[in-house]
Amino acid sequence: MSQAPIIEELNDPLISNAISIWEKGVFKERDGSMSDAIKYYREALKMYDQVEKVYKKKLHTEWLLYQKLEKLNLNEDDKMNSTGDSTNNEDEDESLLPCWIFEMLPNDILLRIVSHVVRLSGESWVNLSLSCTRFNDLCFHNSVPYKTFKDVIYPKQVYDDVLQTLNGENSIKNLEQILWDKNYELMIKQRPYIKFEGVYISVVNYLRYGSNVDGSSSLRNPVHMITYYRYYRFYEDGKVLRLLTTDEPTFVVKYFTRENHIKSSHLCSWKLYFDGETNYVTISRSNDKYAFEEKLIIRNQGHKRFQRLKWMESTVEDKEGNVSNCSLKNEKPFFFSRVISYAHEVAANPITTK
């Protein structure tokens, strides 16, 4: 495919400007803001009606260039390997030599290092396992790291002890012993938990049909794309910051702390219920007139463990004890997004095990 036509098209100021606006729409669509995305798409199409076609050509051309660059890099690497002298080969051989310090250390000492890294974060645990074969074996083929991770995440969970007792579960410790005993790897795979190193975000898009103005001759009613976001940020002390807004994550996440007192946010309480089969987290808040309660089930997102919160129910109770169910027709699941600044806050106060 010749690159000349697409380059000529992009040199046209009108087409180039239309492409820029179209790309803004693409970014908005990725963020879940469909109404803004549609606005940019329409603006770009009004400017140049073939903008989508040119945009696809641009992406294809960029992909072809990337492929060619990859081939060039591979060819250069082959030349370097074939023309390397004996000195370079010796350097390579030396770089492949094992680290004698680690070879000299017993597994007990290395497992202490692994445990310390696991307490920092799950991400650090994975990164350490990728450093060498021996650390990989110690990280994922030994029970110590799993036990350490278990001792870090589960004491931070706030369980609904009253409900557990009513349902015949004397304590979460007994349940842990019955279901998994000392199989900590299986426990981490099956026992749900709330994450604190980021924020749970739900993006809701739905269509709302309007009505024509008086005297309009149009046979079609206008359609509005409604987009809003729900945010949950959980804290280890049993509090959760809740926010319903039309603001995108770019403008919210950075400042989403309970210290900032964000407008329209609520500081709620949360509790986790788990009986071995059923699990859900309850988020509750109240005011002078009503008590609000939201229940969400903790689910996996593909291979990512306990990354998703799925709606179970949302209720409102008045002072007389009358309970009403809120409609969940348009609601979408929450997905966890790790935030580096949040993770640093959590890592600054690690739980040490005895």
Side-chain angles (χ1 to χ4, degrees), residues 111-321:
L111 281 172
R112 284 177 174 268
I113 296 173
V114 172
S115 297
H116 178 74
V117 172
V118 170
R119 289 190 187 98
L120 294 177
S121 70
E123 185 180 28
S124 301
W125 180 12
V126 173
N127 290 338
L128 180 64
S129 72
L130 299 174
S131 60
C132 67
T133 304
R134 191 174 182 192
F135 266 132
N136 185 271
D137 290 337
L138 292 173
C139 283
F140 294 124
H141 301 282
N142 191 291
S143 64
V144 172
Y146 292 103
K147 183 180 184 302
T148 303
F149 192 66
K150 183 267 295 187
D151 290 338
V152 168
I153 58 174
Y154 292 120
K156 296 178 180 180
Q157 306 302 305
V158 181
Y159 291 97
D160 193 335
D161 294 328
V162 175
L163 191 57
Q164 299 271 156
T165 304
L166 287 174
N167 289 341
E169 303 297 340
N170 294 329
S171 72
I172 201 71
K173 286 285 185 184
N174 293 340
L175 190 63
E176 180 181 306
Q177 186 71 23
I178 293 169
L179 293 176
W180 301 288
D181 193 15
K182 294 184 179 180
N183 191 340
Y184 305 117
E185 180 180 357
L186 185 62
M187 181 192 300
I188 291 170
K189 290 179 179 179
Q190 295 180 347
R191 182 178 169 186
Y193 55 88
I194 289 294
K195 301 181 180 183
F196 307 101
E197 302 87 0
V199 60
Y200 292 85
I201 303 174
S202 172
V203 183
V204 181
N205 291 299
Y206 70 93
L207 297 176
R208 186 177 68 187
Y209 294 90
S211 58
N212 291 319
V213 296
D214 293 338
S216 173
S217 60
S218 175
L219 298 177
R220 295 182 180 180
N221 291 333
V223 179
H224 303 281
M225 173 71 76
I226 308 299
T227 301
Y228 63 86
Y229 303 83
R230 290 186 182 272
Y231 300 88
Y232 285 141
R233 181 180 177 183
F234 290 86
Y235 291 91
E236 299 167 24
D237 61 357
K239 298 297 181 182
V240 54
L241 191 60
R242 176 188 183 276
L243 178 64
L244 171 63
T245 179
T246 56
D247 293 337
E248 300 171 15
T250 309
F251 304 106
V252 173
V253 172
K254 185 178 180 181
Y255 308 100
F256 195 50
T257 67
R258 52 185 172 184
E259 291 79 14
N260 284 337
H261 305 290
I262 296 175
K263 184 181 178 181
S264 301
S265 65
H266 300 94
L267 190 61
C268 313
S269 299
W270 70 274
K271 286 187 177 181
L272 177 62
Y273 174 78
F274 177 67
D275 63 5
E277 295 182 0
T278 305
N279 83 79
Y280 57 83
V281 59
T282 303
I283 297 168
S284 55
R285 71 186 195 279
S286 61
N287 56 30
D288 295 336
K289 295 182 178 180
Y290 302 102
F292 303 88
E293 189 174 86
E294 297 165 341
K295 291 183 179 179
L296 301 106
I297 305 170
I298 304 175
R299 288 285 184 262
N300 296 332
Q301 181 190 358
H303 67 280
K304 297 179 180 178
R305 298 284 174 184
F306 315 124
Q307 193 84 352
R308 185 164 58 106
L309 297 179
K310 182 181 178 182
W311 281 99
M312 185 176 175
E313 66 176 12
S314 178
T315 60
V316 180
E317 183 178 356
D318 61 21
K319 290 296 183 181
E320 286 72 36

